[in-house]
């Protein structure tokens, strides 16, 4: 078990208190997309912090996911860019952050990626953190 002292902050207490975004979150799902796919491996049920923040990237054809294109956004008002916090854990095949520290609550996160052909991919999901 990783202690909180060793954990990497993903979302701070102050950021968690920001108001949620107003209105619905838009998702573009038209047609067959050949852009890269983001698969969420982090559990969807509430887990305690620190947690494993894991995403898998899948590209199509001969294209590869560009690790430099990855953006991780905490959807709040205003949005919080988490990219610099996860950058050390980003690889071409995904994100593997073993010890992400978050306060208890539910957090909408969006991940945007591009492949080597410039095609975009995105995923929005909720991280649920149980009280300690």
């Amino acid at each position: 078990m990783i202690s909180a002292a060793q954990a990497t902050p993903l979302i701070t207490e102050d950021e968690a208190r920001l108001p949620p975004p107003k209105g619905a979150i838009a998702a573009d799902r038209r047609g067959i997309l050949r852009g890269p796919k983001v698969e969420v491996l982090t559990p969807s049920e509430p887990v305690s912090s620190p947690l494993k923040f894991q995403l898998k990237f899948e590209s199509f054809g001969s294209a590869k996911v560009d690790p430099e294109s990855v953006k991780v956004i905490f959807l709040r008002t205003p949005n919080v860019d988490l990219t610099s916090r996860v950058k050390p854990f980003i690889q071409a095949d995904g994100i593997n952050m073993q010890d992400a520290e978050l306060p208890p609550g539910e957090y909408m996160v969006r991940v945007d990626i591009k492949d080597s052909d410039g095609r975009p991919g995105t995923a929005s999901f909720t991280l649920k953190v149980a009280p300690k």
Side-chain angles (χ1 to χ4, degrees):
M1 187 74 185
I2 295 167
S3 74
Q6 297 169 303
T8 305
L10 183 61
I11 295 173
T12 67
E13 295 272 354
D14 287 343
E15 292 163 347
R17 285 193 284 272
L18 290 171
K22 292 179 175 33
I25 307 298
D28 189 358
R29 300 266 187 251
R30 293 180 302 223
I32 297 172
L33 302 176
R34 299 301 296 161
K37 194 169 97 178
V38 179
E39 182 182 345
V40 180
L41 302 178
T42 300
S44 58
E45 68 273 359
V47 293
S48 59
S49 182
L51 56 88
K52 287 183 182 177
F53 179 59
Q54 294 180 296
L55 305 175
K56 183 175 139 194
F57 303 151
E58 183 181 352
S59 57
F60 299 95
S62 61
K64 303 278 184 238
V65 171
D66 176 8
E68 293 298 312
S69 74
V70 176
K71 299 272 182 253
V72 181
I73 307 293
F74 173 35
L75 300 176
R76 285 311 224 207
T77 305
N79 285 343
V80 179
D81 188 343
L82 305 176
T83 307
S84 63
R85 298 178 202 170
V86 299
K87 198 159 201 59
F89 309 98
I90 296 173
Q91 298 168 349
D93 63 348
I95 297 174
N96 188 355
M97 189 175 186
Q98 292 292 312
D99 59 349
E101 181 72 36
L102 297 88
E106 291 192 11
Y107 307 104
M108 273 292 293
V109 177
R110 187 183 76 224
V111 177
D112 299 320
I113 61 176
K114 286 185 181 166
D115 66 17
S116 54
D117 291 340
R119 291 180 294 229
T122 191
S124 295
F125 53 92
T126 303
L127 293 175
K128 296 179 183 177
V129 181
K132 294 187 181 199

